Amino acid sequence: MIITRLVGHGVGQVPVPLDIALGTADGNGLRGSIVEVQLVVGGDDLRLGGGLAGRSDDEQSQHRNAKSRDFHVLLPILTVVAVGYDIVKPSVMTHNCYQSLLTCKIFLGCPMATLDSTMLDYEKPDAMRYLRVHGPMHRAALGMLLTGKPDSTDPAVKQFVNFANQQDMNIDECWAACHLDLIQASLLLVPSAGKTCMAFMSSVPARKHVQTMGKLVANACQVQDGKQTRIIQALLEANQRFELLALEEAGFKHLAHLIYMQRYVTASDRTSEKLNLGDNITVYNWSENNRQRFADAILASYVDTLDCPALLGVRDINDVIAGHMAAGEFDPSRWFALYDGDTPLGVMLLNRIAHRSALELVYLGLAPAARGQGLGKKLMQHAMNITAQHNACQILMAVDQENQPARKLYQRMGFARGEKKTAMIYILDEKQNASASCDVSA
């Protein structure tokens, strides 16, 4: 239901008659309906009867038999107490066949002394539905995500589903914003180890679509279980400015600008030497017996870190370790923890990238006492040696743009700068339980 016309004239505090025409979006009037308009003026609540209520029997009969498509309601005199102020916020309700509720605002756009025009600005109820989808709509939502069209039969959808099955990727948490059962936007939340989750959005092509995507993301994130997921992450390209606005509207915070770097490894990088960091430094490889050593070494490297400091303290250290293990193909022989006696100095974690001839530097961090002594350079030389020994041709990494010491080290080691992405995060409260939400399967 919409307000189709509003007219008012008056000066200063002179009473202003308002003629309001009510109708539906398809042009039909409110024939035979009883209308009640609630006006809020300067905090005073006025209920003004209109429509067939309050009219004589003859007048009601005339209105019922009228051929006009609009049903006109002449409200009683309204005294304007604050020109230019948002004086009216009515709730317009009808009985009988119309059961919708419209919240609107009437603004008086006029000079301070003279009320010479009245402008209507109404807020329609949000007709969009935000749903977790299953069945045929699940594939249609994936089509929207992958191609920009909600086509469940697109070959890209089948290819992606097959890939997800091969990688044991959970793609059940798929959401869609629907208007009249047509998908307007979609979102996929993919859980991963370490109580994290990655958010993938369909394209947000213009600013007018930001609010829809923002509400979709917010609805999906707010029903996640904080005991199962602590961080929802999203990575954005530089040109995804509307997607960024949507995430901010949903409550995501900026984490970092990540710079991706890579270096090709050649035969000259391969040596037979073992990692030697000095007589006082002991190097441990990963094992369950060394779990606490790695945990303490990682925590020691977080002190005064420049590497995504907003993540500090959000997750338990064992969840952090689980997340690092899941980043590629884990091999305990490629994980190193450094100690000087019982004092943790840092760690270097390398994983092989699945289906690629490359290793990823998952994490390199040193405790404050170990920085500036050349340990980082020696560890990186060993990383390139390991990469060559495993017959991989590349080593890759992502580094926080603000971590200048690390960036300078990698550049000196021959790493080339690649693309830059913006990392956004949504942190869930551990007390937040998964709540029931509106699911749809067809």
Side-chain angles (χ1 to χ4, degrees):
M1 188 173 65
I2 61 174
I3 293 179
T4 59
R5 187 172 67 254
L6 178 66
V7 180
H9 297 285
V11 177
Q13 295 187 3
V14 175
V16 181
L18 296 177
D19 181 34
I20 224 173
L22 302 176
T24 57
D26 59 5
N28 293 322
L30 305 181
R31 301 187 190 93
S33 299
I34 297 175
V35 180
E36 180 181 75
V37 181
Q38 179 181 351
L39 303 177
V40 180
V41 183
D44 295 327
D45 188 354
L46 306 177
R47 291 186 178 274
L48 306 175
L52 301 183
R55 294 180 180 266
S56 67
D57 292 341
D58 290 340
E59 288 175 325
Q60 292 185 29
S61 178
Q62 282 183 338
H63 276 278
R64 289 193 184 99
N65 296 329
K67 294 182 180 180
S68 173
R69 295 177 64 84
D70 286 333
F71 177 56
H72 300 282
V73 180
L74 183 61
L75 301 181
I77 298 300
L78 171 66
T79 301
V80 180
V81 295
V83 177
Y85 181 73
D86 178 9
I87 63 168
V88 181
K89 186 175 183 181
S91 297
V92 182
M93 292 172 286
T94 67
H95 300 284
N96 299 334
C97 59
Y98 297 102
Q99 299 178 0
S100 60
L101 170 66
L102 171 70
T103 301
C104 65
K105 294 180 180 179
I106 300 173
F107 294 95
L108 303 176
C110 55
M112 191 60 188
T114 305
L115 176 63
D116 56 9
S117 65
T118 306
M119 178 179 65
L120 173 68
D121 179 25
Y122 61 90
E123 298 173 356
K124 297 180 181 178
D126 192 351
M128 203 75 68
R129 295 186 301 154
Y130 305 96
L131 312 164
R132 182 190 287 114
V133 292
H134 308 285
M137 283 195 70
H138 181 272
R139 292 216 169 197
L142 290 179
M144 189 73 182
L145 180 71
L146 298 168
T147 69
K149 297 180 180 179
D151 183 1
S152 61
T153 65
D154 192 290
V157 175
K158 182 178 180 180
Q159 184 179 2
F160 177 75
V161 172
N162 290 338
F163 171 79
N165 290 335
Q166 292 170 3
Q167 299 299 315
D168 197 26
M169 180 189 300
N170 184 343
I171 57 173
D172 294 338
E173 195 71 14
C174 190
W175 287 69
C178 300
H179 181 258
L180 300 177
D181 292 329
L182 297 177
I183 295 177
Q184 307 296 318
S186 64
L187 169 75
L188 179 63
L189 298 179
V190 180
S192 57
K195 296 185 178 180
T196 62
C197 185
M198 284 297 299
F200 301 93
M201 299 177 291
S202 59
S203 175
V204 183
R207 184 177 292 273
K208 64 181 180 180
H209 302 295
V210 166
Q211 186 179 52
T212 295
M213 180 59 78
K215 288 185 176 180
L216 175 62
V217 175
N219 274 268
C221 292
Q222 288 167 5
V223 299
Q224 301 306 307
D225 189 345
K227 295 180 180 178
Q228 301 297 323
T229 301
R230 291 288 286 123
I231 301 173
I232 300 176
Q233 307 175 68
L235 290 175
L236 301 178
E237 307 285 349
N239 62 348
Q240 292 183 289
R241 57 192 182 102
F242 295 129
E243 286 82 353
L244 177 62
L245 292 176
L247 288 176
E248 290 176 340
E249 187 165 306
F252 275 66
K253 303 299 182 183
H254 175 81
L255 173 63
H257 292 299
L258 297 178
I259 297 175
Y260 290 79
M261 307 185 75
Q262 64 180 18
R263 184 189 190 279
Y264 284 94
V265 176
T266 64
S268 62
D269 294 308
R270 184 170 184 169
T271 68
S272 58
E273 297 179 3
K274 294 183 178 181
L275 179 60
N276 183 5
L277 300 176
D279 295 337
N280 296 328
I281 297 178
T282 304
V283 179
Y284 297 93
N285 287 117
W286 170 269
S287 70
E288 278 300 323
N289 291 335
N290 287 331
R291 173 180 286 272
Q292 191 59 51
R293 283 195 174 98
F294 273 81
D296 292 341
I298 292 172
L299 290 172
S301 74
Y302 286 168
V303 177
D304 298 329
T305 183
L306 299 176
D307 184 33
C308 302
L311 290 177
L312 299 183
V314 175
R315 294 180 295 163
D316 181 82
I317 187 59
N318 286 306
D319 292 328
V320 174
I321 291 173
H324 289 327
M325 285 184 174
E329 298 175 354
F330 169 69
D331 182 340
S333 68
R334 295 193 291 257
W335 278 34
F336 308 90
L338 284 54
Y339 272 76
D340 182 356
D342 293 330
T343 303
L345 299 180
V347 294
M348 181 174 72
L349 315 177
L350 293 165
N351 287 353
R352 191 177 185 93
I353 300 175
H355 311 296
R356 290 187 62 178
S357 179
L359 265 62
E360 179 184 359
L361 179 63
V362 176
Y363 182 69
L364 171 62
L366 295 173
R371 296 169 191 166
Q373 300 180 25
L375 292 179
K377 179 179 178 180
K378 292 180 180 180
L379 287 170
M380 288 305 303
Q381 288 173 333
H382 189 61
M384 290 183 285
N385 180 29
I386 292 175
T387 303
Q389 288 177 355
H390 285 79
N391 297 318
C393 63
Q394 275 184 303
I395 182 168
L396 300 92
M397 70 184 70
V399 60
D400 190 328
Q401 178 177 262
E402 300 303 315
N403 194 347
Q404 293 290 344
R407 288 177 58 190
K408 290 179 180 179
L409 169 64
Y410 302 143
Q411 289 169 354
R412 287 196 303 267
M413 300 299 294
F415 281 78
R417 173 174 172 160
E419 62 182 342
K420 182 171 75 171
K421 294 185 179 181
T422 299
M424 303 289 290
I425 57 170
Y426 183 100
I427 299 176
L428 286 85
D429 191 331
E430 282 185 307
K431 297 179 181 178
Q432 178 177 319
N433 296 321
S435 57
S437 60
C438 186
D439 290 12
V440 64
S441 59

